[in-house]
Each structure stands twice: as structure tokens, then as C-alpha cells.
Amino acid sequence: MSAPYATPPPSGRIDQRIAAHHDRLSPQERRAADTLLEHLDDLATYRAAELAVLAGVSKATMSRLFRSLGFVDFDEVRDHLRSLRTAGEPRRVDGAPDLHAQVRAEADSIRLALTQPGLPDAVAALASARRVLVAGWRNSHPVALHLRQQLVQARPAVALAPLPGQMVGEELADLGTGDVVVAIGFRRRPREFGDFVTAAGAAGAEVVLIADPTATMHLARADVALTCPVQGLLAFDSYAAAMSLVGVIADGVLHELGRAGRDRVSAISGSYERLREVETWT
């Protein structure tokens, strides 16, 4: 038998619990724990009895391990792994992916992202802004980069932050009334994200927030808030809806700017041709 645990019971991710208490497990429990670690990505495809067979231990030993790690039973272990996925950690807990179901889930996410009442407000703000700063960290940065690349085709004075090797303080120092900041913050955001949103608003800029539903605590800090689902049926988050959303925003800005936007597109295309920067094809 393993030594009794002091209260409170083990907490944290299951792999952290196993690592922290591995030396306090019995030899049989260690074997069972090692099997859990080997199958964390597909635990939902097994029953507790099947895991016991894989580990070469009894069902009682497997159940005792769950309790030693602070779980009531195997169902609670599965719920724990699903909670990790909800927080943004890549984790497959539903067996082999159903790609047809994934396509349907992507379509639902895109529909939700593109039918929000705040979308026209975001377009109007970006079309009329004196300057635009698009900011995104980590997995939000490619979405921010894509939005900036599209907006700059339609209007001038569109900046991206943070740039490699730079902070955002200098960008905030230039903000004021008439400027718009687009803060893109999908889950697993850096801790300073909320401070950045607050500082952008305090500088006098209008703030457009694009984030997944886990950013609820930041919504009240924005003038316009757009939520965009990123969790699908696969291990990693999907940004299909996010990319569709920024594409629709940029399209709306181009339409809102009318002749000025079209003239800018033509001027940029002419520069490409003169500099031979892009391929041409017929």
C-alpha cells in the first residue's frame, strides 16, 4: 500500500501529480501511473479495466491510483483532461478524430463569428480611425499579422505590435483620441494582455477586442468586443473562424472607404509591379 497523503489532496495536472508523488506510489501503482502517462492523449478510448490490463495490474490497483492522485474515479480523470483542453492545452481526449464532424464544427464556428452584432461597429471604427494598431501575442500573432496585411491594402497608418525584439510601450505612447487598437487575444494569452487593453483605452484610443470566449474578463475593457470560437474536435485550436472574421472585417473596411480604398489598392498593386515583388501570371 502507498503511504497516506496529507491534506489537501494532490492538485494540478495529472502528469504533474504523478511526477510529484511518484516515489510515494507502490510498485504496482507506479506501473499503472506509467501506463496513464503513455496514454494521456487517448485515454477516452479506454475503460478503466482495459487500462488495468495494459498496465498488468488489478482493477483495484488502478482505482487506488486514481484516488492517490486526488481523483474520485476514472470519469473524473477524463473530465480533468477535458478541462485541460478547454484551457487551450493540446490534448486529444475523444479518440480518433471524426473529420466530417470537424468540418461541421468549423462551419458552426465561422457562422457564430460572422453574425455578431458588433461586427459593423468594428468595421466603422477601423475605417474612420486616424491610425490603427493591431496587437497579438503568441498564437494570436498570426491572426493579427493577417489583419494588418489586409487592412494596410485598404487604408494607411496600420501598425503591428509587438514587433520582434520590441516591447509595446513605445506604441502605446503614440496613441490618442481618434486612434483604434485591435487587441487579439485567444486563449493561453500572456498575463500582460489585460493590462495592455486597459492602457490602450486609457490613452484615449478606441479598443476593438477579438478573442475566444475565455476572455470574458476582458470584454468590459473594450469599446467593441468580438468573440470567436477556436476549440474544435482536434487536439489543437483552429483559427479558421478567426481568419474568416478578420477577412470580413477588412472587406468591410475596404467597402466603407469606397473610392479612396480602391485607389490605394491600385497604387499598391502598381508598386508591386514596378518593384517586381510578386509573381505575375496570365
Side-chain angles (χ1 to χ4, degrees), residues 198-223:
T198 299
E206 186 172 358
V207 178
V208 176
L209 176 66
I210 300 176
D212 69 281
T214 66
T216 303
M217 72 290 291
H218 302 303
L219 298 183
R221 306 180 188 185
D223 297 286

Side-chain angles (χ1 to χ4, degrees), residues 182-205:
V182 183
I184 302 179
F186 295 108
R187 60 189 184 180
R188 309 194 95 177
R189 294 171 291 275
R191 290 184 180 274
E192 65 268 21
F193 180 80
D195 293 337
F196 171 80
V197 173
T198 299

